[in-house]
Amino acid sequence: MDYKDYYKILGVKKDASPEEIKKAYRKLAVKYHPDKNQGDPQAEDRFKDVTEAHEVLSNPENRKMYDRLGANWKQYKNAGYDPSQGGNGNPFGQFGGGGGGYTYQGDPSDFFGGGGGGFSDFFERFFGGTAGGAGFGGGAGGRAGFRGGGFSQDMPGADLQGDLHISLSEAYNGTERMVNTSEKKLNVKIRPGAYDGLKLRIKAKGQAGPTGKRGDLYLTVNVHGDPRFERKGDDLHARVPMDMFTAMLGGKQEVETMTGRVSLTIPEGTQSGKKVRLKGKGMPVYNGSGHGDLYITFELAVPNKLTREQKELVEKLRDSVQGQPA
């Protein structure tokens, strides 16, 4: 993935405290939030970068790896690198004796330096022999193990990981994102109904292994909150203000859905907190059929200020209904 300077994105120094990082993030998130910059793709991209930077730098483990490894930190994390081990900077661990097993994680071409004779030179130095005739068995995700001096030549390269940030509207309708890998750009399609934390696997788009076989690309979808709705599974929930006169006398009330505004009939005497279900107006079912529901909760909205004449009218109304059954 493309390298991003997260400190520069948040406008903080590399020794910034967690409090300084959080403060900078909140300030920029408010400034570039999509709700305040509708129709501005640059602000939307800036908001995504700010969010991504905060997610990395606010996590002590991720920040430590980012500081040490820079652009490759996610690759090494996926390969099992533990920055707490310190050492000489080798991201693939150490070889240990006993039991005849020697294991490392990552892309062997990176470890051996690539080029002709790399594997043979290593075996001559380490095992006192050559790699000729050996078969080596590697695991998924760029893992390989040395067993009895052999390893499998069909081992894929390391997997790559990344994040995609989308709005709730994009999650509802489906969308696309252009992802930059180290070698090419990929157009990734996100189906309707995508949810926060959804994992997408794109086969053979990770790093190349020693024989050219590639690992996979894993992308995590992050769906940003929407001020209009709260999502619970495939259902949506919204709170809608209702004026006191409509509540008492009944009438029409417009409410917003993901596909536009609809008009609802409010019965006479509707109480605050009344919940209405709009069937099929929720989120699409990801990789399925149908939609969830939209639940509208009406909340009584009372005027902040009344004139003297208005107060007298309300008092007369109050006096005329006191004692009547609710």
Side-chain angles (χ1 to χ4, degrees):
M1 315 298 284
D2 283 349
Y3 173 68
K4 296 180 181 179
D5 188 336
Y6 294 139
Y7 293 102
K8 185 176 181 181
I9 289 173
L10 292 180
V12 298
K13 297 180 179 179
K14 289 191 175 182
D15 59 352
S17 66
E19 291 74 20
E20 290 172 328
I21 289 174
K22 182 184 294 185
K23 182 178 180 181
Y25 164 69
R26 288 179 175 176
K27 179 179 179 181
L28 294 173
V30 170
K31 180 179 180 180
Y32 294 108
H33 197 281
D35 294 338
K36 293 188 176 183
N37 300 274
Q38 295 184 7
D40 185 349
Q42 291 184 343
E44 182 179 352
D45 290 341
R46 189 79 171 90
F47 178 76
K48 294 172 184 175
D49 287 343
V50 167
T51 302
E52 179 180 338
H54 175 257
E55 289 175 350
V56 174
L57 298 184
S58 63
N59 183 302
E61 179 184 348
N62 289 346
R63 182 179 180 182
K64 185 182 295 183
M65 296 187 71
Y66 173 77
D67 288 343
R68 172 169 287 189
L69 303 171
N72 298 319
W73 76 275
K74 281 190 177 180
Q75 170 192 342
Y76 291 145
K77 181 179 181 180
N78 188 49
Y81 173 46
D82 182 1
S84 66
Q85 297 299 318
N88 59 4
N90 169 24
F92 300 114
Q94 296 180 354
F95 290 91
Y102 303 91
T103 303
Y104 78 94
Q105 298 177 350
D107 187 336
S109 63
D110 290 339
F111 184 85
F112 295 117
F119 294 126
S120 298
D121 292 342
F122 171 79
F123 272 86
E124 289 177 8
R125 292 195 302 271
F126 197 85
F127 294 107
T130 67
F136 64 98
R143 294 173 177 264
F146 297 93
R147 302 297 176 191
F151 50 94
S152 169
Q153 298 198 10
D154 196 32
M155 185 194 68
D159 295 333
L160 294 178
Q161 296 185 9
D163 296 289
L164 298 176
H165 297 265
I166 65 175
S167 66
L168 186 64
S169 295
E170 289 176 314
Y172 182 91
N173 295 297
T175 187
E176 298 180 1
R177 282 291 185 273
M178 190 66 69
V179 177
N180 294 326
T181 67
S182 59
E183 296 182 1
K184 62 185 298 185
K185 293 183 177 181
L186 301 175
N187 188 38
V188 178
K189 293 185 178 181
I190 305 173
R191 297 174 183 173
Y195 49 88
D196 194 54
L198 172 66
K199 302 287 187 181
L200 302 178
R201 177 192 178 195
I202 305 177
K203 294 183 179 180
K205 295 301 181 182
Q207 286 195 331
T211 61
K213 186 174 182 180
R214 293 184 174 278
D216 298 328
L217 172 63
Y218 291 89
L219 299 171
T220 301
V221 177
N222 298 276
V223 181
H224 295 293
D226 190 298
R228 303 168 299 169
F229 305 104
E230 178 184 2
R231 183 176 183 177
K232 295 181 180 180
D234 295 321
D235 294 331
L236 295 174
H237 295 255
R239 309 186 78 86
V240 176
M242 174 182 59
D243 69 80
M244 57 184 295
F245 303 105
T246 301
M248 290 187 294
L249 304 175
K252 297 290 186 180
Q253 177 79 47
E254 280 198 348
V255 298
E256 193 166 4
T257 73
M258 293 298 294
T259 55
R261 300 181 71 84
V262 299
S263 181
L264 300 180
T265 299
I266 307 298
E268 179 181 332
T270 296
Q271 302 296 310
S272 182
K274 173 70 175 179
K275 183 177 289 188
V276 177
R277 173 193 175 200
L278 301 183
K279 188 175 181 180
K281 289 294 185 180
M283 296 295 293
V285 178
Y286 184 77
N287 269 352
S289 60
H291 291 67
D293 300 326
L294 170 61
Y295 292 88
I296 302 293
T297 300
F298 290 106
E299 297 181 332
L300 187 63
V302 179
N304 292 325
K305 293 183 179 181
L306 295 175
T307 65
R308 181 176 179 180
E309 181 180 359
Q310 289 170 334
K311 287 183 180 179
E312 291 176 352
L313 291 173
V314 173
E315 289 172 352
K316 289 181 180 180
L317 175 62
R318 178 196 62 192
D319 295 340
S320 67
V321 299
Q322 278 184 344
Q324 294 184 4

